[in-house]
Amino acid sequence: MIINKKSFPSILTVCAMTCALMVGVWFLLSNTVDKVVEKEARTTAIHWADYFVSHLDDIETLITKGIPDPKQSATIDKAVEFGEVFRFKIFRPDGTNSFISDEYKQKQDEESLIVENKKAARVFNTGNSNIEIKDGRQKANRPDVYVEAYVPIEDKSGTRIGVVEVYIDQTEMVASLKDGFNWIALFLPIISALFFLIPALALLKESASAKEAKAEAEQLANFDSLTGLNNRRSFNDSAESYFKDYSSIGTLFIDVDNFKKINDENGHDGGDAFLRSVGHTIKSKLGENAIFARFGGDEFVACIGDVTPEELKIIAQDILASIAKGMIHRGQEIKGHVSIGLNISKSNEPLTDMLHAADAALYKSKSEGKNTITIFSDALSNEFKRQQKIEKLLNKAVDGTGLEIYYQPINQPETKKILGFEALLRLRDKQGEMISPEEFIPVAERLGLINDIGQWVLGEAVKTAKEWSNETFISVNLSSVQFDQGDLPDFINGLLVKHNFPAERLEVEITESLLIRDDGSTQKQLAAIKSMGVSIAMDDFGTGYSSLGYLWKYGFDKLKVDRSFLLGYDQDPKKLEKVIGSIIHLGHCIDMNVTIEGVESDAHISFLKGMNCDQLQGYYFGKPMTQANAEHMMKAA
Ligand code: C2E
Ligand code: CA
Ligand code: CA
């Protein structure tokens, strides 16, 4: 049941209702006693009058003259003993009194006689009895409670002949009635109160659980369920009023480094414990004056009012050092560290700007090797603005908008014939400026856009190459992120089928970084792609581990020797000759073609002559160019 404030009567209302009920019951019962006494008196009086009339011979004479004969006196004596009647008076049809059963007549004053006479005359005339309950406590020779009942007297034929006023002692009856009613008057409200109070208490209980549910909902809405810390929402809600008390705000953006690894190594339970520990360590270092929240995942944000850059840095260092100490969870040590971005702004700046700046500094900490602190600066600001610009462009570019593919020829060393083209992606900004893939590909990877973009490149490259002469191959660079979902072979296969493109004319280039993090899935996918007939090239060979083991294990078709080798040509050509010669020899030993990248000059060409490499690529043959220029180059050759 959902109880809202409006539908729920407060306990005060319930108490007021119960009190009103008790007063009401009391009032009702008091009235009821009077009514019962009156009813009882009326019945007694009428019965008595009936009895009197039926047992008294010649009542007409008694009414008229007022003097009973001896027989009548005996009946009168009997009647007075009957039904608590302690006195009666007989009146004539005009209301005058003719007889009183005791000596009371002498004590009556003029005034009360007139009242009595009037009442008797009225009862005679109307035929309606008149019953009055009297309090006799202050009067001599009267019971505490008695009734004066004027009842018309009728003869045996039903003709009204006079009025009898009967005095009935009701003290005992009233006492017993009141006694009974007192109990009822006491218990009825109690029972009624219980009747109300029980549901009221139930309602109160429900109200308490409704309050609890509300508190729980608030807890969920404002607090992070894992750490119990404030969440992003409550942080945002409280920020504005918090900022009002300060002139400057220091922001800390804290992110756990390699959290996925911590989770993988210690299980989710361990990962959760680590996040809780990080959250509470940060909180303990911030002091009372800060606002702090878990922003989600492994991100935490704090703002501190009027803090100097030095103080902010000391706090950040303290946090970094404390977290790096690690923690113990279920007897196991969990090690991990965080990166921190710091920023100080004027307190009237928008929160989003403060957070962006601290986030930019954090980004820098991450790119500089993690477990570090970076303070936001103007230089970083430019870098950050550029990042944001690229992010914006990329978000729009997912369907290809703003993206272009350039093509760089790959040539035969002796004949210089074009063997194929490498597809190289370009991002163009609104002003027409080209942004290098070395700059925007990592951003696309970080934003999770590289899959869509990578698929777009593959599709465009295949479509373009389909129009070329049958021998020319097209080589496409793949990001390691494109292997994460495991559906890359299917996508490539679908593309080949759709465009009826010979698999042998497609080449994919990957780098060593993909293989280092392989859990078996990459190897499977590469094998699947290779089995279609697509050629697989190891790109930028010589820049990383240059592991021969990898080359062997993954069965590459081609080795692309990074252009950094040829950059060293001028320093020591002899040594370079040996190094490149060895790589070519090694490649051939394990059935790989070898491509030398970065061929820029005639000197490079003569140097490489006779080295038995398979393909050459570089500015000497052509810079990456538009599709039209590439096609023009092919025709001209
Ligand atoms: P990469 O695969 O090593 O591509 C070769 C890069 O070297 C290209 O830079 C090319 O312009 C440059 N280059 C080629 N010959 C010469 C030369 O003789 N001298 C000099 N100085 N440079 C030369 P670009 O186009 O800026 O591409 C940079 C990197 O971006 C590529 O390196 C590749 O790793 C990545 N990339 C390009 N397109 C894509 C793509 O579609 N997907 C992915 N994942 N990465 C891409
Ligand atoms: Ca490449
Ligand atoms: Ca390369």
Side-chain angles (χ1 to χ4, degrees):
M1 179 182 173
I2 296 165
I3 297 176
N4 60 38
K5 235 181 180 173
K6 279 181 191 160
S7 72
F8 177 70
S10 73
I11 186 72
L12 273 177
T13 316
V14 171
C15 287
M17 280 165 70
T18 308
C19 288
L21 186 85
M22 287 174 84
V23 171
V25 166
W26 198 272
F27 184 76
L28 198 76
L29 287 178
S30 316
N31 267 323
T32 309
V33 170
D34 287 351
K35 287 251 163 60
V36 170
V37 170
E38 191 191 308
K39 195 169 173 233
E40 183 65 25
R42 186 185 300 274
T43 321
T44 308
I46 290 168
H47 282 165
W48 187 87
D50 278 353
Y51 173 86
F52 188 64
V53 171
S54 58
H55 286 80
L56 201 70
D57 293 333
D58 195 16
I59 189 164
E60 292 85 351
T61 313
L62 183 62
I63 292 169
T64 321
K65 298 199 176 140
I67 303 161
D69 59 29
K71 202 181 164 195
Q72 284 176 321
S73 289
T75 308
I76 287 166
D77 289 344
K78 256 190 175 176
V80 173
E81 285 165 18
F82 172 81
E84 311 291 334
V85 173
F86 63 92
R87 174 181 303 138
F88 72 89
K89 298 177 184 176
I90 293 174
F91 297 88
R92 299 180 188 96
D94 61 359
T96 52
N97 181 258
S98 58
F99 176 80
I100 296 179
S101 62
D102 56 11
E103 73 292 354
Y104 183 67
K105 189 176 182 179
Q106 287 76 39
K107 295 175 189 163
Q108 268 193 296
D109 55 46
E110 266 306 295
E111 217 173 301
S112 72
L113 271 174
I114 292 168
V115 172
E116 270 191 357
N117 293 349
K118 278 186 178 170
K119 280 183 195 167
R122 194 166 58 241
V123 169
F124 183 85
N125 291 331
T126 60
N128 296 331
S129 315
N130 178 42
I131 313 285
E132 284 174 50
I133 299 166
K134 302 274 181 177
D135 183 350
R137 282 174 298 181
Q138 305 297 324
K139 298 177 187 167
N141 303 322
R142 300 281 174 97
D144 284 356
V145 185
Y146 66 99
V147 165
E148 289 178 9
Y150 290 79
V151 182
I153 303 170
E154 291 169 354
D155 63 12
K156 289 181 180 106
S157 67
T159 309
R160 212 174 295 146
I161 51 175
V163 170
V164 63
E165 184 197 5
V166 191
Y167 287 72
I168 308 163
D169 183 354
Q170 298 283 53
T171 312
E172 237 176 75
M173 196 197 56
V174 168
S176 70
L177 264 180
K178 282 207 167 152
D179 222 28
F181 279 135
N182 274 349
W183 281 108
I184 297 171
L186 187 69
F187 280 114
L188 198 62
I190 289 173
I191 289 163
S192 311
L194 285 176
F195 182 75
F196 274 98
L197 272 176
I198 289 168
L201 284 174
L203 278 175
L204 262 187
K205 209 178 151 213
E206 282 197 44
S207 153
S209 29
K211 271 186 194 157
E212 259 172 41
K214 198 179 161 211
E216 212 171 287
E218 263 171 28
Q219 176 79 15
L220 278 178
N222 294 322
F223 294 92
D224 167 48
S225 56
L226 178 72
T227 59
L229 300 168
N230 282 87
N231 60 16
R232 183 195 284 256
R233 181 195 144 130
S234 59
F235 181 93
N236 289 344
D237 288 350
S238 61
E240 203 179 313
S241 65
Y242 175 79
F243 291 172
K244 276 185 192 142
D245 296 337
Y246 302 99
S247 60
S248 78
I249 299 294
T251 306
L252 297 100
F253 215 120
I254 304 159
D255 188 286
V256 177
D257 296 328
N258 308 324
F259 181 62
K260 190 179 176 299
K261 194 166 163 248
I262 295 173
N263 241 344
D264 290 348
E265 286 172 2
N266 303 282
H268 278 277
D269 191 39
D272 286 354
F274 188 74
L275 284 180
R276 269 193 293 270
S277 162
V278 166
H280 290 281
T281 302
I282 299 169
K283 196 170 185 208
S284 71
K285 303 293 175 192
L286 291 171
E288 291 300 304
N289 273 342
I291 51 169
F292 173 52
R294 179 182 176 214
F295 256 38
D298 54 354
E299 277 181 0
F300 298 86
V301 170
C303 282
I304 310 174
D306 292 342
V307 66
T308 65
E310 293 72 28
E311 286 166 342
L312 192 62
K313 205 169 170 191
I314 288 169
I315 293 170
Q317 280 164 342
D318 199 8
I319 291 171
L320 207 76
S322 294
I323 291 170
K325 281 183 193 155
M327 64 161 303
I328 302 292
H329 174 66
R330 296 186 199 276
Q332 294 287 316
E333 189 182 38
I334 301 181
K335 279 272 186 191
H337 42 77
V338 294
S339 293
I340 305 179
L342 303 178
N343 167 59
I344 291 189
S345 320
K346 290 206 177 74
S347 63
N348 57 6
E349 276 181 28
L351 172 66
T352 45
D353 289 1
M354 295 181 190
L355 294 176
H356 264 121
D359 194 13
L362 171 67
Y363 186 82
K364 188 79 179 164
S365 290
K366 291 274 182 195
S367 62
E368 287 191 345
K370 303 175 178 173
N371 195 18
T372 49
I373 297 163
T374 307
I375 299 187
F376 186 75
S377 64
D378 285 343
L380 227 163
S381 167
N382 293 333
E383 205 176 298
F384 187 59
K385 274 183 195 148
R386 176 131 180 112
Q387 286 290 321
Q388 283 184 306
K389 174 182 163 174
I390 293 172
E391 284 183 16
K392 262 192 198 161
L393 287 170
L394 280 174
N395 277 316
K396 278 192 208 148
V398 180
D399 59 355
T401 315
L403 289 174
E404 284 168 50
I405 299 173
Y406 272 35
Y407 299 87
Q408 186 179 31
I410 297 167
N411 301 61
Q412 211 283 329
E414 312 300 329
T415 62
K416 296 187 182 152
K417 189 184 164 220
I418 298 171
L419 301 173
F421 283 90
E422 178 175 0
L424 292 160
L425 191 57
R426 299 286 178 266
L427 178 67
R428 204 184 277 276
D429 71 8
K430 283 181 203 144
Q431 288 73 41
E433 184 211 333
M434 287 289 198
I435 299 167
S436 159
E438 271 163 332
E439 193 179 3
F440 73 78
I441 296 279
V443 183
E445 287 177 340
R446 185 163 52 80
L447 295 182
L449 300 172
I450 194 66
N451 268 313
D452 289 341
I453 291 176
Q455 291 188 350
W456 179 82
V457 176
L458 272 166
E460 290 300 303
V462 165
K463 261 193 275 173
T464 304
K466 177 85 171 63
E467 306 302 317
W468 299 344
S469 93
N470 271 344
E471 291 126 63
T472 318
F473 71 85
I474 183 79
S475 195
V476 178
N477 294 280
L478 298 180
S479 156
S480 56
V481 180
Q482 288 177 265
F483 287 83
D484 285 350
Q485 286 177 6
D487 57 357
L488 189 62
D490 285 346
F491 179 79
I492 291 174
N493 188 50
L495 210 59
L496 296 175
V497 172
K498 184 179 169 194
H499 296 286
N500 189 26
F501 190 75
E504 297 68 36
R505 289 184 57 207
L506 179 64
E507 183 169 275
V508 291
E509 301 186 13
I510 57 152
T511 56
E512 245 177 345
S513 60
L514 170 69
L515 313 177
I516 288 160
R517 39 168 246 175
D518 184 21
D519 57 0
S521 162
T522 303
Q523 192 174 6
K524 260 194 215 156
Q525 291 179 67
L526 285 174
I529 294 167
K530 197 176 151 86
S531 72
M532 295 171 207
V534 176
S535 164
I536 297 176
M538 162 70 87
D539 200 4
D540 301 342
F541 186 78
T543 53
Y545 292 100
S546 308
S547 159
L548 296 175
Y550 281 135
L551 297 177
W552 180 257
K553 184 176 163 194
Y554 286 84
F556 288 95
D557 300 289
K558 188 190 274 186
L559 201 60
K560 293 187 81 173
V561 180
D562 192 72
R563 66 183 174 86
S564 55
F565 284 92
L566 277 189
L567 280 177
Y569 167 76
D570 294 331
Q571 277 96 53
D572 194 346
K574 284 225 160 83
K575 193 175 169 194
L576 187 67
E577 194 182 343
K578 280 185 197 153
V579 174
I580 292 187
S582 308
I583 294 173
I584 295 168
H585 178 68
L586 187 128
H588 288 166
C589 281
I590 45 178
D591 295 329
M592 286 191 294
N593 284 324
V594 179
T595 303
I596 309 292
E597 295 184 310
V599 180
E600 290 186 352
S601 59
D602 287 327
H604 287 159
I605 293 287
S606 10
F607 168 74
L608 292 165
K609 215 172 188 153
M611 284 186 86
N612 202 21
C613 55
D614 304 284
Q615 296 170 357
L616 300 179
Q617 182 180 356
Y619 291 174
Y620 176 85
F621 298 100
K623 287 189 173 178
M625 60 193 82
T626 61
Q627 180 189 341
N629 285 345
E631 286 164 4
H632 184 74
M633 184 182 246
M634 272 190 282
K635 270 186 201 146

